[in-house]
């Protein structure tokens, strides 16, 4: 899981800086909160880690299906 790298990535930034976590389904991510905290020693409910659910971004459903998303399709929905 990319979340395994979150603590290492966050350590490269100041404690006051945020590291966004993009997910294909925010509700599923919320359900895994305790497991993420235990397994990766990261509290994703800290203000430092804004969770961004991308379930409404056109084309992002490919990620939930385990496929690669088309960058040109999902890019505008993530940037905006």
């Amino acid at each position: 899981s990319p979340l395994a790298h979150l603590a290492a990535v966050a350590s490269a930034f100041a404690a006051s800086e945020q590291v966004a976590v993009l997910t294909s389904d925010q509700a599923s991510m919320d359900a895994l909160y305790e497991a993420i905290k235990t397994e990766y020693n990261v509290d994703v409910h800290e203000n430092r880690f804004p969770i961004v659910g991308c379930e409404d971004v056109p084309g992002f459903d490919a990620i939930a299906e385990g496929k690669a998303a088309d960058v040109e399709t999902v890019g505008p929905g993530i940037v905006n």
Side-chain angles (χ1 to χ4, degrees), residues 4 6-7 13 22 26 29 35 40 47 53 56 60 62 71-72 75 78:
L6 185 56
F13 296 91
L22 304 179
Q26 188 163 358
M29 178 87 162
Y40 302 120
N47 288 336
D56 295 328
F60 210 87
V71 175
E72 291 187 25
I78 291 174

Side-chain angles (χ1 to χ4, degrees), residues 7 12 15 23 28 33 37 40 43 46 58 60 63 67 69 72 79:
T23 179
S28 294
Y33 169 71
K37 188 174 179 181
Y40 302 120
D43 185 351
E46 288 181 17
F60 210 87
I63 301 295
K67 301 175 186 173
E72 291 187 25
V79 173

